């Protein structure tokens, strides 16, 4: 994977093995050279391979299989996975940059990348055994296969500890029963990380994580949800009915499921923040491009102070959210606590994306309301970033809890 990127000109002195040591928080005023090159590579890919197709993919609810395969070749589906497991060997800042640029071209493709990297590969890389890493990570780095993450249920929503899906040990097999809801990549995935209750008496400490191949006997898919946005990414229920998997498919230790889920979501929120940044940047680009060409009262509407103020506010919100997101990524790369910062990043970036997409439509006027222009798609795509991987309300609870904890310590 690394070879694909190195072939594009990255200097050997910046080899990926040492990449995590290239930066610390506040060390530099700009991105390291390798990250700048990665950003340009992803931007070029998005402009060539995604932007021309994004509207059609959205309209047809079509999974971008060819583009996913190409991204696998660039190492974008396993960015912080070490090369020994066929990953790119990059860091989380690089991952954030890549997801933003891909999402700028197509938000649906951005979330496909984000889920495979952070929600599927992430927990296996952190909690899996060596055997599990080779079996469940390596085949999911090239774009031939992608994974998904099954935590949410029809009745639990933000209460992740109230898992009604159960797993019981029967000899050398785990037997799973229950339904998981709102599962991104469901119809296109070849494996999933599933969370199920193994001991109801222990409540959230009785939840465990499992690796389940797809398709497999006893696991069926619900209908594809007809969504407001990110329509090229499939979302559906996973239905487990006496689904049997080997005992060895337990991820981590028994009862560690809730911990695995929460730590995975911390990292995943950096990915969704990055997706939101890409949507926001695309909306701002669209607004500026249109405003420079749209004539009113004898001049481009960018000459109007009202429009200038909107653009200024949009740019400030975008840049502020981007810096929060990069800070969270850099904290993670340096082994520092980042729960609060990841929540801040997701909150700021998702709300900025919705606000920026809203104002972009206002600047375009009637043209922002029709599918001839991408502004309406950006608006539809942005809204989900305030909901999945923790709603804005949950992010505020996380931030406040971490803040108060620090003051009281």
């Amino acid at each position: 994977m690394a070879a694909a990127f190195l072939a594009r000109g990255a200097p050997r002195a910046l080899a990926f093995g040492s990449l995590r040591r290239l930066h610390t928080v506040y060390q530099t005023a700009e991105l390291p050279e390798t990250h700048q090159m990665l950003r340009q590579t992803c931007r070029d890919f998005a402009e060539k391979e995604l932007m021309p197709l994004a509207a059609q993919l959205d309209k047809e609810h079509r999974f971008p299989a060819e583009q996913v395969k190409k991204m696998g070749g660039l190492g974008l589906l396993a960015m912080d996975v070490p090369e020994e497991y066929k990953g790119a060997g990059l860091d989380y800042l690089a991952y954030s940059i890549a997801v933003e640029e891909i999402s700028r071209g197509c938000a649906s493709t951005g979330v496909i990348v984000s889920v495979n990297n952070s929600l599927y590969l992430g927990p296996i890389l952190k909690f899996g055994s060596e055997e599990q890493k080779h079996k469940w990570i390596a085949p999911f780095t090239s774009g031939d296969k992608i994974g998904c993450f099954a935590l949410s249920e029809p009745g639990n929503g933000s209460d992740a500890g109230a898992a009604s899906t159960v797993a019981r040990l029967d000899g050398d097999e785990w037997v799973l029963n229950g339904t998981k809801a709102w599962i991104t990549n469901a119809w296109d995935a070849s494996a999933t990380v599933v969370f199920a209750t193994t001991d109801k008496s222990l409540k959230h400490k009785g939840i465990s994580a499992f690796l389940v191949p797809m398709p497999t006997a006893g696991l069926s898919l619900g209908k594809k949800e007809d969504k407001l946005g990110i329509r090229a990414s499939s979302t559906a229920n996973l239905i487990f009915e006496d689904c049997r998997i080997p005992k060895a498919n337990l991820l981590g230790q028994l009862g560690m499921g809730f911990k695995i889920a929460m730590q995975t979501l911390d990292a995943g929120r950096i990915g969704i923040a990055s997706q939101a940044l890409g949507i926001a940047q695309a909306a701002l680009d669209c607004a500026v491009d249109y405003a420079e060409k749209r004539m009113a009262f004898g001049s481009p509407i960018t000459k109007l102070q009202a429009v200038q103020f909107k653009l200024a506010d949009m740019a400030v919100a975008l840049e502020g959210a981007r810096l929060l997101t990069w800070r969270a990524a850099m904290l993670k790369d340096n082994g520092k606590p980042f729960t609060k910062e990841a929540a801040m990043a997701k909150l700021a970036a998702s709300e900025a994306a919705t606000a920026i997409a809203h104002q972009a439509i206002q600047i375009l006027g009637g043209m922002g309301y029709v599918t001839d222009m991408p502004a309406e798609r950006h608006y539809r795509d942005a809204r989900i970033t305030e909901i999945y991987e923790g709603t804005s309300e949950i992010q505020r609870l996380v931030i406040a809890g971490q803040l108060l904890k620090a003051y009281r310590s």
Side-chain angles (χ1 to χ4, degrees):
M1 295 297 178
F5 183 59
L6 283 170
R8 294 176 175 266
R12 286 288 175 180
L14 298 177
F16 297 129
S18 61
L19 197 58
R20 297 177 194 279
R21 298 189 292 274
L22 282 177
H23 61 274
T24 56
V25 181
Y26 308 125
Q27 182 178 340
T28 61
E30 59 182 17
L31 290 172
E33 182 182 356
T34 304
H35 292 73
Q36 293 181 39
M37 294 174 64
L38 172 69
R39 192 181 199 187
Q40 191 60 54
T41 297
C42 293
R43 184 170 296 177
D44 292 344
F45 177 86
E47 290 177 353
K48 179 183 177 182
E49 299 283 348
L50 297 175
M51 286 184 183
L53 296 172
Q56 198 66 24
L57 293 173
D58 173 80
K59 182 178 180 180
E60 298 174 3
H61 297 228
R62 175 159 52 92
F63 179 75
E66 181 181 347
Q67 289 69 33
V68 168
K69 178 66 175 175
K70 290 179 179 178
M71 289 189 298
L74 290 173
L76 302 184
L77 294 179
M79 297 208 63
D80 75 326
V81 171
E83 291 182 84
E84 63 182 295
Y85 307 119
K86 299 185 179 181
L90 288 159
D91 60 11
Y92 236 70
L93 178 60
Y95 163 64
S96 173
I97 291 165
V99 172
E100 177 182 343
E101 293 300 330
I102 295 301
S103 300
R104 179 171 168 260
C106 173
S108 295
T109 307
V111 77
I112 292 166
V113 172
S114 179
V115 167
N116 196 70
N117 272 276
S118 59
L119 297 191
Y120 174 71
L121 296 179
I124 304 173
L125 184 63
K126 185 167 185 178
F127 297 98
S129 66
E130 277 302 308
E131 182 181 352
Q132 287 175 334
K133 289 175 184 178
H134 285 286
K135 180 178 179 179
W136 299 92
I137 291 180
F140 291 81
T141 62
S142 66
D144 291 324
K145 295 180 178 181
I146 60 170
C148 61
F149 178 84
L151 175 64
S152 295
E153 297 186 358
N156 71 358
S158 295
D159 185 7
S164 59
T165 297
V166 295
R168 63 178 175 85
L169 192 60
D170 182 17
D172 290 331
E173 293 180 316
W174 288 101
V175 183
L176 277 65
N177 281 282
T179 299
K180 294 296 182 178
W182 312 113
I183 309 305
T184 303
N185 291 348
W187 274 70
D188 306 290
S190 297
T192 180
V193 178
V194 180
F195 297 86
T197 295
T198 47
D199 188 338
K200 291 184 178 180
S201 67
L202 297 177
K203 298 184 179 179
H204 71 277
K205 292 184 179 180
I207 297 173
S208 301
F210 301 91
L211 298 167
V212 181
M214 297 173 67
T216 194
L219 170 57
S220 59
L221 301 177
K223 67 177 179 66
K224 282 187 182 180
E225 299 292 350
D226 187 6
K227 307 189 297 290
L228 175 71
I230 58 165
R231 293 157 70 95
S233 161
S234 64
T235 303
N237 285 2
L238 301 186
I239 304 163
F240 297 90
E241 297 173 299
D242 290 330
C243 177
R244 291 179 173 270
I245 58 173
K247 185 178 179 180
N249 286 23
L250 175 70
L251 178 63
Q253 298 175 2
L254 195 66
M256 280 185 63
F258 187 78
K259 177 183 177 181
I260 292 172
M262 294 303 100
Q263 291 190 16
T264 300
L265 288 174
D266 280 346
R269 284 164 185 160
I270 297 174
I272 298 306
S274 304
Q275 182 202 20
L277 293 175
I279 297 168
Q281 184 67 64
L284 179 58
D285 292 344
C286 178
V288 172
D289 181 68
Y290 180 84
E292 285 279 69
K293 296 172 182 175
R294 172 74 163 90
M295 302 294 290
F297 310 105
S299 300
I301 63 173
T302 48
K303 296 289 186 181
L304 300 175
Q305 190 179 66
V307 173
Q308 291 178 359
F309 281 7
K310 287 184 185 297
L311 294 175
D313 289 343
M314 293 157 76
V316 169
L318 174 58
E319 291 293 343
R322 181 177 287 127
L323 290 173
L324 278 171
T325 303
W326 287 0
R327 179 170 183 254
M330 287 189 283
L331 284 170
K332 184 180 188 306
D333 287 334
N334 284 276
K336 305 292 185 183
F338 65 96
T339 297
K340 180 184 70 175
E341 289 76 13
M344 285 179 166
K346 183 182 183 296
L347 177 64
S350 62
E351 295 195 346
T354 301
I356 291 168
H358 176 93
Q359 291 299 338
I361 289 178
Q362 197 67 20
I363 289 170
L364 269 66
M367 288 303 297
Y369 204 67
V370 295
T371 57
D372 298 51
M373 297 289 283
E376 59 84 30
R377 172 165 46 84
H378 299 149
Y379 187 71
R380 291 186 288 107
D381 287 340
R383 192 62 185 86
I384 189 60
T385 64
E386 293 186 63
I387 298 171
Y388 59 14
E389 296 195 36
T391 63
S392 292
E393 290 74 19
I394 290 296
Q395 305 315 308
R396 287 181 165 90
L397 286 174
V398 170
I399 294 164
Q402 292 287 316
L403 181 70
L404 293 171
K405 180 181 178 181
Y407 269 93
R408 291 167 181 166
S409 63

